[in-house]
Amino acid sequence: MSNKRPTWTSKYSFILAAIGSAVGLGNIWRFPYVMGQNGGCVFLITYMFFILTICFIPMVTEILFGKITKKECVGAFEHANKKCKYLSYLNPVTAVLVPSFYFVIGGWIIHYIIISFIGFKSKNPSVYLSEFVQNPILAPICTLIFLFICIFFTARGIKKGIEFINNVMMPMLVVMLVILTIASLHLPNSYLGLQYIFKPDFTKFNSHMLLAALGQAFFTLSVGMGSLLTYGSYIKEDKSIVKTAYTIVFSSLIFSLLAGMMIFPAVFSFNLAPDAGAGLVFVTLPKVFMQIPHGNFVATVFFILLFCAAITSGISMLEVPCATIVERIKLSRIKACLFLFVIIALIAIPATLSFGILGDIKIFDKTIFELIDFITSNIFLPLNTLFMCFVAGWFLNVNGDMIFKNRVLVNVFNIGLKYVVPLILIFLIYIGLK
Ligand code: PHE
């Protein structure tokens, strides 16, 4: 095995892969439903504010962390300070736990691609979803297929795996999203959906909405798990990354907006509720698909779109523990991926079954799926981000000068990295634990 670290073929490969990581279920499945539950436009404005300010700082820092150290997560923290390596192991651990619930939804998507292709039976979509998620054989098989696909492309390496899949899937994702959004905007009364997204109702502003928007912003930018750090460590050229960072942020924003503009006009056009929660995409939208011309075809395209978004993000998660195992334990990529397949399967299968036969197992009043989601989203992701900002700001001397030329922006960045963002994160962890 050669010891040479892989690098991106070109600067664009990195940008595309980072956008692929950022744009995922968080934008297309989670964003519309969290927005639906939190008052529409006010949520959107708050989310945009966070993504462009508070979350931008750790995102750039994470990429810089990798770019400067040129090491996988644990090695990168060790490079900054020997003692820091211990807590940094939480990054690959998080990147094993998050896929264990993210891929459950990936499995649902695979099932929905197949059933939309075959044709939705005239069954109530909520009954359909609950029957599927409770199926003790089919649901875990779908999760495992999704896991296998992600592992397969991760095992193929940077060029043949990650770059390849992003080069193929990202353009497909854009084309499908634009076509479906245009189609949705042509439905009768679609303006009601647009009004919901773009007409603010400031009475909906509250602290719960604020926190939901902040959490959503961190998640959609892929901060806090080491994915951007690991991807950043494969950058070879020494150019500034500020344009790259803006490209990632704006792409994530545009994808979220398009997802909203694709989903809400359709939902309002058929007089359905926008606040259906996690079932918005799997229950509410199928109700739309059952009523429009060529509904099965549109549904198949929609779920393939969701699949592409989920795969490119999933691979960016797996790259974190994979790189750590390869570079620290010196296993080959294939063996590292086989090992990860087994470990993630062992956690993801119970998580899948927690919608059915394992539903009664409750830890702290939460099912296995909810518990993994809760621990990672509310504690591990903000904790990793906090630690990363702390080490980057105080030990690695990441500085606004590396990004901006403008003095004011440099100072804002430095104060943000060293004080403001860590304080907000501590607050977020505190609220998350309450
Ligand atoms: N940003 C991805 C999404 O929105 C999720 C993700 C989080 C991916 C953290 C990698 C790291 O779906």
Side-chain angles (χ1 to χ4, degrees):
M1 199 182 68
S2 88
N3 284 329
K4 220 170 143 267
R5 291 193 89 243
T7 50
W8 300 108
T9 316
S10 73
K11 191 175 149 200
Y12 297 101
S13 314
F14 165 68
I15 298 181
L16 205 60
I19 295 175
S21 169
V23 176
L25 293 182
N27 303 67
I28 299 169
W29 167 65
R30 199 168 182 274
F31 177 80
Y33 91 71
V34 180
M35 177 163 156
Q37 287 173 326
N38 287 282
C41 187
V42 242
F43 176 83
L44 175 67
I45 297 172
T46 320
Y47 166 77
M48 279 169 69
F49 169 76
F50 284 144
I51 226 177
L52 294 171
T53 55
I54 295 164
C55 301
F56 182 79
I57 297 175
M59 191 204 78
V60 181
T61 307
E62 196 175 315
I63 300 175
L64 276 175
F65 210 126
K67 188 172 173 259
I68 296 169
T69 57
K70 298 261 178 294
K71 290 196 164 76
E72 52 64 53
C73 246
V74 177
F77 278 84
E78 194 179 33
H79 175 103
N81 181 298
K82 281 245 161 349
K83 289 198 187 106
C84 292
K85 88 171 175 204
Y86 300 105
L87 203 55
S88 73
Y89 276 104
L90 193 59
N91 282 285
V93 169
T94 312
V96 164
L97 287 175
V98 172
S100 306
F101 78 86
Y102 199 89
F103 292 5
V104 174
I105 310 294
W108 297 7
I109 295 170
I110 291 194
H111 178 72
Y112 270 73
I113 293 178
I114 297 167
I115 60 160
S116 18
F117 187 71
I118 300 171
F120 282 104
K121 292 187 214 115
S122 50
K123 227 184 226 174
N124 181 342
S126 6
V127 177
Y128 205 99
L129 181 68
S130 61
E131 271 178 12
F132 165 65
V133 298
Q134 285 173 29
N135 188 318
I137 312 239
L138 193 57
I141 288 181
C142 289
T143 305
L144 288 181
I145 295 176
F146 191 88
L147 169 63
F148 177 78
I149 298 172
C150 289
I151 286 281
F152 177 78
F153 285 102
T154 310
R156 283 175 65 94
I158 305 302
K159 221 170 275 165
K160 289 196 199 134
I162 302 178
E163 285 189 14
F164 170 79
I165 204 88
N166 279 294
N167 289 346
V168 174
M169 290 199 164
M170 290 314 285
M172 264 170 70
L173 184 64
V174 177
V175 173
M176 287 188 285
L177 192 56
V178 171
I179 293 178
L180 289 187
T181 306
I182 294 173
S184 177
L185 291 175
H186 276 84
L187 288 169
N189 293 331
S190 60
Y191 73 93
L192 291 172
L194 289 182
Q195 235 172 37
Y196 183 73
I197 307 175
F198 295 114
K199 202 167 156 216
D201 171 2
F202 288 103
T203 56
K204 299 267 165 63
F205 194 92
N206 59 48
S207 59
H208 180 264
M209 188 277 302
L210 214 63
L211 280 175
L214 190 59
Q216 179 67 20
F218 274 121
F219 192 74
T220 45
L221 285 188
S222 298
V223 178
M225 205 192 289
S227 291
L228 293 176
L229 188 157
T230 313
Y231 274 10
S233 74
Y234 302 139
I235 302 177
K236 57 171 177 241
E237 67 272 34
D238 234 23
K239 291 206 191 92
S240 147
I241 55 151
V242 66
K243 275 201 201 115
T244 310
Y246 283 133
T247 316
I248 301 169
V249 165
F250 281 107
S251 310
S252 189
L253 195 58
I254 288 169
F255 274 95
S256 294
L257 269 179
L258 281 177
M261 285 165 64
M262 164 179 70
I263 291 173
F264 289 116
V267 168
F268 277 87
S269 177
F270 287 90
N271 236 331
L272 298 165
D275 55 357
L280 187 66
V281 159
F282 294 101
V283 177
T284 313
L285 277 192
K287 287 185 188 155
V288 174
F289 297 139
M290 285 163 100
Q291 296 179 58
I292 54 173
H294 312 296
N296 287 333
F297 175 71
V298 179
T300 314
V301 174
F302 173 76
F303 286 109
I304 293 180
L305 178 161
L306 215 55
F307 175 77
C308 293
I311 288 278
T312 49
S313 297
I315 288 174
S316 77
M317 298 175 189
L318 296 181
E319 184 57 22
V320 179
C322 177
T324 301
I325 296 172
V326 170
E327 287 176 37
R328 295 196 74 87
I329 308 179
K330 309 273 180 241
L331 277 189
S332 72
R333 232 182 138 81
I334 309 260
K335 282 192 191 139
C337 284
L338 281 175
F339 173 72
L340 284 172
F341 181 86
V342 176
I343 298 287
I344 296 175
L346 286 176
I347 313 171
I349 291 175
T352 311
L353 293 175
S354 69
F355 287 92
I357 50 172
L358 299 186
D360 288 337
I361 299 181
K362 296 259 166 89
I363 308 161
F364 301 119
D365 219 22
K366 289 187 165 41
T367 64
I368 302 170
F369 180 95
E370 289 165 350
L371 186 74
I372 304 174
D373 181 6
F374 176 83
I375 295 182
T376 49
S377 311
N378 290 7
I379 307 168
F380 290 1
L381 287 175
L383 193 62
N384 285 332
T385 314
L386 174 67
F387 188 56
M388 192 254 318
C389 288
F390 173 73
V391 177
W394 298 94
F395 292 105
L396 198 64
N397 295 326
V398 167
N399 192 294
D401 284 323
M402 298 170 175
I403 307 154
F404 299 113
K405 295 213 169 64
N406 180 307
R407 267 285 104 210
V408 180
L409 287 179
V410 170
N411 288 335
V412 170
F413 183 90
N414 291 343
I415 295 171
L417 179 62
K418 285 189 166 169
Y419 307 101
V420 183
V421 175
L423 279 177
I424 290 173
L425 287 164
I426 291 171
F427 178 69
L428 206 62
I429 297 169
Y430 170 73
I431 299 278
L433 281 175
K434 268 216 310 192

